[in-house]
Amino acid sequence: MLGLIQEKQLLIHTLIDYAADYHGRTEIVTRTVEGPIHRYTYADARQRSKQLANALTRLGVKLGDRIGTLAWNTHRHLECYYGVSGLGAVLHTLNPRLFPEQIVYIANHAEDSYIFVDLTFVPLLEKVQDELKSVKGIVVMTDSAHMPQTTLKNVHCYEDLLAAESTEFEWPEFDEKTASSLCYTSGTTGNPKGVLYQHRSTVLHSFAACMGDCLGLTSRDAVLPVVPMFHANAWGLAYAAPMCGAKLVLPGKDLDGKSVYDLMADEKVTMSAGVPTVWLMLLNYMEEHGLGLPDMSRTVIGGSAAPASMIRTFETKYDVTVIHAWGMTEMSPLGTSGVMTKAIEQLPFEEQLPYKAKQGRVIYGVELKITDDEDNELPRDGVAFGNLLTRGYWITNGYFKGEGGNVLDNGNWFNTGDVATLDEDGFMTITDRAKDVIKSGGEWISSIDLENAAMGHPAVAEAAVIGIFHPKWDERPLLCIVTKAGKDVSKDDIMAFLDGKIAKWWMPDDVQFVDEIPHTATGKIQKTTLREQFKDYTLPTAQTAAD
Ligand code: AMP
């Protein structure tokens, strides 16, 4: 017997409709690429998203067409989120931090028909436009006063396009399983692969993001996503904020400590989200200038492991609760969220810290399990670690155009490529990416744990650990360190600091001081480049072992 409930498709336009109808006066504030602060409301955002949908229709865009963006977090990009997907076309957020050849590959693979581009990236597109095979036109996301002299062909001015259109547009109804947006993974090996989201998965993911034990968004929040809208949909915030009518503060292109701080302070931001490198810049700026953030209640840190030292600074010095979250592009992206249990919350802070440094607890809608290399499920005891597998309402079931073949096992589980522990309270701890784990004498050393421990040293700005060949143990850890400006520290100081904080056999065999640690286009440590950098390096311990 079926239940007697109305059939209504879960479509993305309903999010902006709800925000405009019931939180219509709530603000969206943008630091524009042109410079000035722009303010308007959810009601305005819906009207302009509809104008955009009319403009796209006039350009001949149809259901399923891919529309690329090369854009920062701004109100215009937000309008693309709703105008493009609302129409039934697919919003393809290109990551401008990738190499131009990768961008060309991705835009051609996706068969983007139009690309919406911020002023910053016009020179980039000019250089590669002749290689873009499917692109019929480019829309520069600015007004006529700021339109640049450009060699781009078939170019339109965003504001002129919108100005010519009516604000009346009836969002079409279609199957909730229709594709809504497309985001390519950075692909450390092989070509980038496209993750194709649905309207249904996106709306369900937004409900989850708002849950109290996930990001806990409400209409009383002012949310500043530092995480880019081209990185896994700004971790869902561009959808979740309208779903609950939270004020949105969009930082545009300036993500340095001062710019982010000023926006947070001026707009009374209560909640933010970003990768650890961004928070490092913000924390350094606040420390240098003796500033605080009285309105901020919490911040989400994810994308890479949040170092315990960073969590401590946010919580004890600035009274900002850290939500350490984990996920991936293939997961829309949220999988776990570090909201504490009641029992843990009552512990003294230093006893809570080990839990906060874990990647968080599994959220409703996502299933996780860990297995050994023979596919046997491992216990959820917080100790056993193995391959992390997932399935759920917003997890990919295959890459765009079948790239990478079948990615699910018989039980529909997707292998995340992460190695992790799970415990009985649902806490998950990433010990490594499967390919970064250091295999020493048949045992595994977690590069993330070592990095975390080293980051606790007051002179260390950033730390990265890679496995280096060792004649006796196969691999041993090499610790690479960037020191904080003006701080002096030796290998012996670091070794003495680590002593007692990690197992003896995990102690790095050497410490190398480097000027910079390479990062990927999504802010992760680029271990492939680091390994390449150290490919001719020999560990001091290798010689002794070989003798
Ligand atoms: P991406 O799809 O680019 O967001 O990358 C997803 C990958 O980033 C995951 O599979 C993890 O390896 C890594 N990652 C994301 N969040 C965290 C975290 N909190 N701690 C450690 N690694 C993380």
Side-chain angles (χ1 to χ4, degrees):
M1 183 163 62
L2 296 179
L4 295 170
I5 297 294
Q6 298 178 3
E7 282 280 320
K8 187 167 160 58
Q9 302 298 302
L10 296 167
L11 298 180
I12 283 175
H13 77 253
T14 59
L15 300 171
I16 195 74
D17 273 352
Y18 171 77
D21 286 339
Y22 303 107
H23 302 272
R25 283 174 295 177
T26 299
E27 275 186 317
I28 300 169
V29 181
T30 300
R31 173 172 285 130
T32 60
V33 177
E34 296 87 345
I37 298 288
H38 173 274
R39 300 174 181 275
Y40 71 172
T41 64
Y42 275 120
D44 301 325
R46 171 170 61 183
Q47 282 200 347
R48 283 172 48 93
S49 303
K50 290 190 166 196
Q51 284 175 295
L52 175 60
N54 278 324
L56 290 167
T57 308
R58 194 181 299 278
L59 290 171
V61 172
K62 302 206 169 48
L63 199 80
D65 286 354
R66 270 78 71 200
I67 306 294
T69 59
L70 269 172
W72 300 109
N73 294 6
T74 69
H75 63 294
R76 293 188 182 113
H77 204 178
L78 188 77
E79 289 156 14
C80 292
Y81 264 58
Y82 291 95
V84 173
S85 301
L87 181 65
V90 177
L91 180 83
H92 173 206
T93 50
L94 287 148
N95 183 340
R97 293 187 182 134
L98 294 171
F99 292 118
E101 326 60 279
Q102 286 176 305
I103 294 177
V104 168
Y105 169 85
I106 294 173
N108 285 337
H109 189 271
E111 298 176 69
D112 291 336
S113 59
Y114 284 88
I115 295 186
F116 283 63
V117 61
D118 266 337
L119 286 169
T120 328
F121 308 117
V122 167
L124 173 84
L125 263 194
E126 284 174 337
K127 276 196 212 106
V128 301
Q129 66 171 332
D130 291 338
E131 296 167 61
L132 299 172
K133 301 205 178 81
S134 50
V135 173
K136 295 185 203 148
I138 308 281
V139 180
V140 182
M141 297 166 88
T142 191
D143 54 19
S144 50
H146 292 89
M147 268 305 270
Q149 283 284 356
T150 174
T151 58
L152 286 175
K153 290 173 213 131
N154 300 323
V155 70
H156 302 269
C157 165
Y158 184 89
E159 289 300 332
D160 289 354
L161 268 189
L162 260 61
E165 301 298 337
S166 153
T167 55
E168 300 294 319
F169 180 84
E170 184 111 7
W171 299 117
E173 290 285 327
F174 38 75
D175 189 319
E176 63 187 13
K177 297 200 182 88
T178 302
S180 58
S181 56
L182 178 62
C183 187
Y184 280 68
T185 59
S186 356
T188 41
T189 52
N191 280 321
K193 296 192 268 302
V195 180
L196 190 61
Y197 307 105
Q198 302 167 331
H199 282 259
R200 170 189 156 85
S201 63
T202 304
V203 174
L204 292 176
H205 182 266
S206 310
F207 276 119
C210 292
M211 285 190 306
D213 269 0
C214 190
L215 308 184
L217 282 191
T218 75
S219 58
R220 291 166 301 286
D221 277 312
V223 184
L224 190 155
V226 186
V227 51
M229 288 162 80
F230 55 75
H231 183 196
N233 306 315
W235 298 348
L237 289 171
Y239 301 115
M243 175 179 261
C244 65
K247 171 177 170 178
L248 258 179
V249 183
L250 301 171
K253 67 179 177 12
D254 300 318
L255 304 180
D256 58 284
K258 176 175 173 19
S259 304
V260 171
Y261 177 84
D262 287 350
L263 259 190
M264 284 180 164
D266 293 350
E267 299 304 325
K268 300 197 180 333
V269 166
T270 59
M271 193 264 193
S272 187
V275 296
T277 37
V278 161
W279 299 132
L280 215 55
M281 292 193 284
L282 179 77
L283 289 175
N284 283 343
Y285 178 78
M286 294 204 313
E287 187 169 336
E288 270 167 34
H289 295 83
L291 300 165
L293 283 168
D295 297 296
M296 276 278 275
S297 74
R298 63 208 187 281
T299 195
V300 184
I301 307 184
S304 299
S309 51
M310 180 177 282
I311 300 175
R312 183 187 288 112
T313 308
F314 265 120
E315 299 228 352
T316 59
K317 190 160 176 193
Y318 298 112
D319 199 21
V320 174
T321 302
V322 169
I323 302 178
H324 189 185
W326 164 88
M328 58 196 311
T329 306
E330 288 87 337
M331 302 176 67
S332 297
L334 294 170
T336 57
S337 173
V339 174
M340 297 298 107
T341 62
K342 181 126 193 101
I344 295 172
E345 223 173 35
Q346 283 157 359
L347 298 172
F349 177 75
E350 287 301 321
E351 287 173 43
Q352 290 186 37
L353 189 55
Y355 293 98
K356 290 182 181 264
K358 289 171 181 277
Q359 272 68 18
R361 297 164 74 202
V362 184
I363 56 175
Y364 170 80
V366 171
E367 288 178 82
L368 292 184
K369 71 170 178 180
I370 46 172
T371 62
D372 64 17
D373 285 340
E374 278 74 50
D375 288 338
N376 302 308
E377 185 163 354
L378 297 170
R380 293 159 193 256
D381 58 6
V383 179
F385 55 96
N387 305 310
L388 182 63
L389 274 62
T390 184
R391 62 183 183 189
Y393 298 124
W394 45 85
I395 315 291
T396 188
N397 69 6
Y399 294 103
F400 190 43
K401 296 186 174 172
E403 292 293 331
N406 181 17
V407 297
L408 304 184
D409 72 8
N410 291 338
N412 273 349
W413 292 92
F414 173 81
N415 190 337
T416 63
D418 287 326
V419 176
T421 68
L422 281 170
D423 77 12
E424 53 198 10
D425 293 322
F427 276 103
M428 187 272 281
T429 307
I430 300 251
T431 56
D432 243 314
R433 280 302 283 172
K435 57 189 179 336
D436 294 336
V437 95
I438 297 156
K439 294 183 177 137
S440 173
E443 297 287 340
W444 288 7
I445 298 176
S446 156
S447 64
I448 293 186
D449 279 2
L450 274 183
E451 286 158 8
N452 230 328
M455 288 284 290
H457 191 288
V460 174
E462 202 174 9
V465 172
I466 51 172
I468 297 277
F469 169 75
H470 190 280
K472 181 168 178 200
W473 303 108
D474 290 337
E475 277 186 341
R476 290 293 304 159
L478 167 69
L479 170 60
C480 301
I481 280 180
V482 180
T483 45
K484 284 192 185 153
K487 299 267 168 134
D488 207 16
V489 64
S490 68
K491 170 180 168 181
D492 289 345
D493 295 336
I494 299 286
M495 295 301 258
F497 177 78
L498 292 178
D499 194 19
K501 295 193 173 65
I502 51 173
K504 272 256 176 295
W505 64 279
W506 282 32
M507 285 295 268
D509 282 32
D510 195 12
V511 180
Q512 290 275 315
F513 294 91
V514 293
D515 293 338
E516 177 177 32
I517 285 173
H519 287 102
T520 67
T522 51
K524 299 181 208 312
I525 295 175
Q526 198 159 33
K527 299 231 170 145
T528 42
T529 311
L530 207 56
R531 279 195 277 266
E532 183 59 28
Q533 217 169 304
F534 283 94
K535 72 176 188 314
D536 298 325
Y537 162 90
T538 313
L539 286 167
T541 50
Q543 196 50 43
T544 357
D547 290 341

